[in-house]
Amino acid sequence: MDDTQSVATLFDSTTSKIQQLQQAFAELERHSAISLNFKWKELEEHFHGLEKSLKTRFDQLEDQEKEYVTEVTEAQQMLEKQEAAVVAKELASLERLQEKRDAALSVLFEKHGNSSLEPVVKVVNNSMTDPILKENSGVGAAKSSMEDVCPAEKGSVCIEPPTELMKLCEEMNAQGLHKFISDNHKNVISIREEIPVALKRAANPFSLVLDSLKGFYAGEILSSDGKKDVSLLGLRRTCLMLMESLEQLLADGVPDSLFDNQRLTSDIKEKAKVIAKEWKPKLDQLDIEATCGNSLEAHAFLQLLATFDIDSQFDQDEICKLIPAVTRRRQTVNLCRSLGLSHKMPGLIEVLLNSGRQIEAVNLAYAFKLIEQFPPVPLLKAYLKEAKKVSQVKAGSMSPGAQNEMNERELSALKAVIKCIEEHKLEDLYPVDPLQKRILLLEKAKADKRRAAEAAKPQTKRPRANGSIYPRINIMPDKSFHRSPFERYPYAYDRQYVYAAETHHPTPMGSVPYTIPRTHSTFYGNVHQVQYQTAYLY
């Protein structure tokens, strides 16, 4: 509107401007020695023509603006009407849905007449949520309160049956729970999502998870021949997953909806304390360096303390000594916070730095906001310097296999540092271009050595088709010795074929820090995804 008024004001002042211009033109004619080829009348007609055309265009634009405002107003009114109609339909649909659910609940009440249930409806933001059933009579009511009711098509009502996992939790069948997870290990992702809901169906989820821990130390993961006991390893992973799921159930605010007989009691804490005291001596002999920060057993022990709230029964310094054994596992940060070890992090990071584990130290420094005390860039540079110093030992002092292992260590260290820089957005402080060039150089040297080794392999002679290694001698004279290649070999398959040398990628000798297969899980949940070796599959 301000622009329109300013344009109208300019139009009003046009006449005075033309009069001023006429006076200036007359003054110019009086002082000019040469007569002008045009008269003021022509100029005046020209300016009046411009004024008229501009004013016509301005009026057209004003009319278009009024039409646009009218259309916008009408569109807004139409949208408001449609929105009101949609809201009315939603409210009507919610009312019909509530009637159907009430009818379904009445069917359930008649079916389970031995338990008295009272539907309670929560209304949030003028919209209806699912009915929550209140328990009045023990375990039977706790089971019935989780019946899933869904409206079906054509006005009918269907009752969604509980899944096998829910049934096992309702039956408090810890052994069956282990077997079900083991048999369906390929669907472990969906099972992990369903377990917290299924545990709520149990008469006491804490007691169920505690019963599932039996047999955790039924044997050793590695047998005498060095082979892994896959079944025992799967059992331990399942135990850990159940404890994590139970802690997730508590962290999501579900404890307020648990019934009195489903809560964590002092008796269950005592039973968990007994199990923890049985596990602790086995961890005292744990080689922290050999675990490479990925110990399943240490993680399970710490998770037991956090889930059943018994960490106060153990010395905090002893608990803190186990943290370096799990620093590469995705739940480490949450475990440290649950166990009240946040104030111990500076000392723990110092331990990691003294052990040459700067990558884990940087990740923990970011997780606990200690980067001012432990600047990440100097730590990463020190880590690379150490890795490069080890790999630059004189070639004559070690075997070719050891040289390859040292190069693999430096290559893995470079990739781990680049990943850490990208995860924490340190490119401005620590450019990755020189590191990537170094990686290309090492990989090229690695490929050259592999090709040289393949070329040095002796070529074995292939036996002839007749079973003899001696050539056949043709005693008949060759009438046409000088023949073209196509005459000597009438068919393409009669010619000799030179097979290319097979390429084999040598595997590194021994364990290499910070190297992993591509299918690796994240470091700290969704925060630090890293490329380390890990045994955590669940």
Side-chain angles (χ1 to χ4, degrees):
M1 277 312 274
D2 294 338
D3 294 337
T4 304
Q5 291 177 356
S6 61
V7 172
T9 304
L10 289 175
F11 275 123
D12 294 338
S13 63
T14 303
T15 304
S16 61
K17 296 291 183 184
I18 292 176
Q19 292 176 356
Q20 294 175 6
L21 183 61
Q22 183 180 3
Q23 294 175 0
F25 186 81
E27 188 71 19
L28 178 63
E29 283 184 335
R30 282 196 301 270
H31 293 83
S32 176
I34 302 173
S35 62
L36 299 177
N37 294 329
F38 56 90
K39 300 298 182 182
W40 167 249
K41 191 65 175 179
E42 297 175 359
L43 286 176
E44 187 177 10
E45 291 177 355
H46 174 70
F47 285 123
H48 282 301
L50 289 177
E51 180 184 7
K52 184 177 181 180
S53 62
L54 289 175
K55 192 169 184 180
T56 303
R57 183 57 181 163
F58 177 70
D59 293 339
Q60 292 176 354
L61 291 176
E62 278 189 330
D63 295 339
Q64 291 178 0
E65 182 181 6
K66 292 177 180 179
E67 292 177 359
Y68 174 75
V69 172
T70 304
E71 291 177 357
V72 170
T73 305
E74 293 176 354
Q76 289 179 348
Q77 293 175 355
M78 185 179 298
L79 286 175
E80 290 176 357
K81 291 180 181 179
Q82 291 179 353
E83 185 178 358
V86 170
V87 172
K89 289 181 180 179
E90 288 181 351
L91 293 176
S93 299
L94 288 174
E95 291 177 359
R96 290 195 298 270
L97 179 60
Q98 177 63 20
E99 293 175 358
K100 293 176 182 179
R101 290 184 174 180
D102 291 342
L105 290 174
S106 62
V107 173
L108 289 176
F109 299 155
E110 294 176 0
K111 183 177 179 181
H112 302 281
N114 56 346
S115 59
S116 59
L117 301 174
E118 178 185 356
V120 180
V121 180
K122 289 186 178 181
V123 178
V124 181
N125 295 331
N126 297 326
S127 62
M128 181 192 62
T129 61
D130 294 339
I132 302 175
L133 303 181
K134 189 179 294 183
E135 181 198 32
N136 290 329
S137 61
V139 178
K143 295 180 180 179
S144 300
S145 64
M146 293 301 297
E147 291 293 338
D148 295 318
V149 182
C150 64
E153 296 180 355
K154 298 182 180 179
S156 60
V157 177
C158 67
I159 300 175
E160 183 179 345
T163 62
E164 183 67 22
L165 195 62
M166 294 178 180
K167 290 180 181 178
L168 292 170
C169 291
E170 288 179 354
E171 297 169 359
M172 297 289 289
N173 188 351
Q175 185 176 358
L177 199 59
H178 271 286
K179 185 178 184 304
F180 176 81
I181 296 175
S182 176
D183 294 342
N184 298 274
H185 64 278
K186 293 183 179 179
N187 302 323
V188 69
I189 296 178
S190 59
I191 290 177
R192 174 184 285 277
E193 294 176 354
E194 186 183 355
I195 284 180
V197 179
L199 286 175
K200 193 180 176 183
R201 291 219 177 204
N204 193 308
F206 292 95
S207 180
L208 175 61
V209 173
L210 204 60
D211 292 341
S212 70
L213 302 182
K214 296 177 180 178
F216 188 89
Y217 280 102
E220 294 296 334
I221 296 295
L222 292 177
S223 58
S224 57
D225 57 357
K227 295 182 179 179
K228 290 185 178 181
D229 188 345
V230 180
S231 60
L232 181 59
L233 188 61
L235 183 143
R236 292 184 180 181
R237 289 172 177 163
T238 301
C239 292
L240 181 57
M241 182 172 61
L242 290 173
M243 287 191 290
E244 289 179 350
S245 299
L246 184 56
E247 188 178 28
Q248 179 185 348
L249 183 71
L250 301 176
D252 293 341
V254 179
D256 296 335
S257 63
L258 292 177
F259 305 112
D260 293 337
N261 58 337
Q262 291 180 302
R263 298 181 184 275
L264 179 62
T265 61
S266 57
D267 294 339
I268 296 177
K269 284 187 178 182
E270 287 298 324
K271 293 179 181 179
K273 182 180 176 182
V274 172
I275 295 176
K277 287 186 176 180
E278 292 177 357
W279 289 6
K280 185 61 171 64
K282 301 180 184 296
L283 297 175
D284 292 338
Q285 302 175 356
L286 185 67
D287 187 355
I288 301 296
E289 294 297 330
T291 60
C292 297
N294 193 30
S295 173
L296 174 65
E297 291 74 19
H299 187 182
F301 176 78
L302 296 173
Q303 191 65 57
L304 176 66
L305 302 185
T307 302
F308 291 90
D309 194 21
I310 56 173
D311 54 288
S312 59
Q313 305 296 324
F314 294 85
D315 184 63
Q316 200 173 56
D317 292 334
E318 292 296 323
I319 297 174
C320 195
K321 289 179 182 179
L322 293 174
I323 299 298
V326 296
T327 48
R328 291 188 191 171
R329 300 184 74 83
R330 61 183 177 84
Q331 293 290 349
T332 301
V333 173
N334 292 335
L335 275 175
C336 291
R337 288 172 178 159
S338 299
L339 297 172
L341 300 178
S342 299
H343 64 286
K344 296 279 187 180
M345 287 301 107
L348 177 60
I349 293 176
E350 291 287 354
V351 172
L352 294 175
L353 294 177
N354 295 334
S355 303
R357 297 162 65 175
Q358 285 86 347
I359 300 291
E360 300 161 56
V362 170
N363 290 329
L364 286 179
Y366 268 96
F368 290 94
K369 299 180 180 180
L370 296 172
I371 56 175
E372 293 184 359
Q373 186 175 353
F374 300 97
V377 174
L379 297 182
L380 295 178
K381 289 183 177 180
Y383 174 71
L384 274 185
K385 183 178 179 181
E386 185 66 24
K388 191 173 183 179
K389 183 170 60 177
V390 172
S391 64
Q392 289 179 344
V393 181
K394 293 183 179 180
S397 62
M398 62 175 62
S399 63
Q403 294 177 25
N404 292 337
E405 182 178 354
M406 292 299 102
N407 291 338
E408 286 290 343
R409 287 180 182 272
E410 183 182 357
L411 191 61
S412 301
L414 286 167
K415 292 180 179 179
V417 169
I418 290 176
K419 187 66 177 177
C420 187
I421 291 172
E422 292 175 350
E423 288 293 334
H424 302 301
K425 295 179 174 53
L426 295 171
E427 290 87 353
D428 294 339
L429 300 176
Y430 197 172
V432 297
D433 290 342
L435 306 182
Q436 291 174 344
K437 291 179 181 178
R438 178 63 179 169
I439 288 177
L440 293 176
L441 184 63
L442 291 174
E443 289 180 343
K444 183 179 181 299
K446 179 180 175 181
D448 292 342
K449 288 182 180 179
R450 183 170 61 248
R451 284 193 293 268
E454 292 293 335
K457 287 185 178 179
Q459 301 294 330
T460 57
K461 292 185 177 180
R462 303 178 64 182
R464 297 178 63 87
N466 58 4
S468 173
I469 63 174
Y470 300 101
R472 295 178 61 183
I473 302 175
N474 187 5
I475 61 176
M476 299 298 293
D478 192 350
K479 296 181 180 180
S480 58
F481 181 77
H482 299 286
R483 292 183 294 173
S484 65
F486 292 100
E487 291 174 341
R488 291 198 298 270
Y489 300 106
Y491 301 100
Y493 295 113
D494 290 339
R495 307 176 195 172
Q496 290 182 343
Y497 180 78
V498 180
Y499 291 90
E502 297 180 0
T503 58
H504 301 282
H505 300 278
T507 58
M509 299 174 61
S511 62
V512 182
Y514 307 111
T515 58
I516 61 160
R518 291 181 181 270
T519 58
H520 167 55
S521 61
T522 53
F523 175 63
Y524 293 135
N526 295 330
V527 182
H528 312 301
Q529 183 180 359
V530 293
Q531 300 182 351
Y532 313 145
Q533 175 73 27
T534 179
Y536 189 78
L537 299 179
Y538 289 175

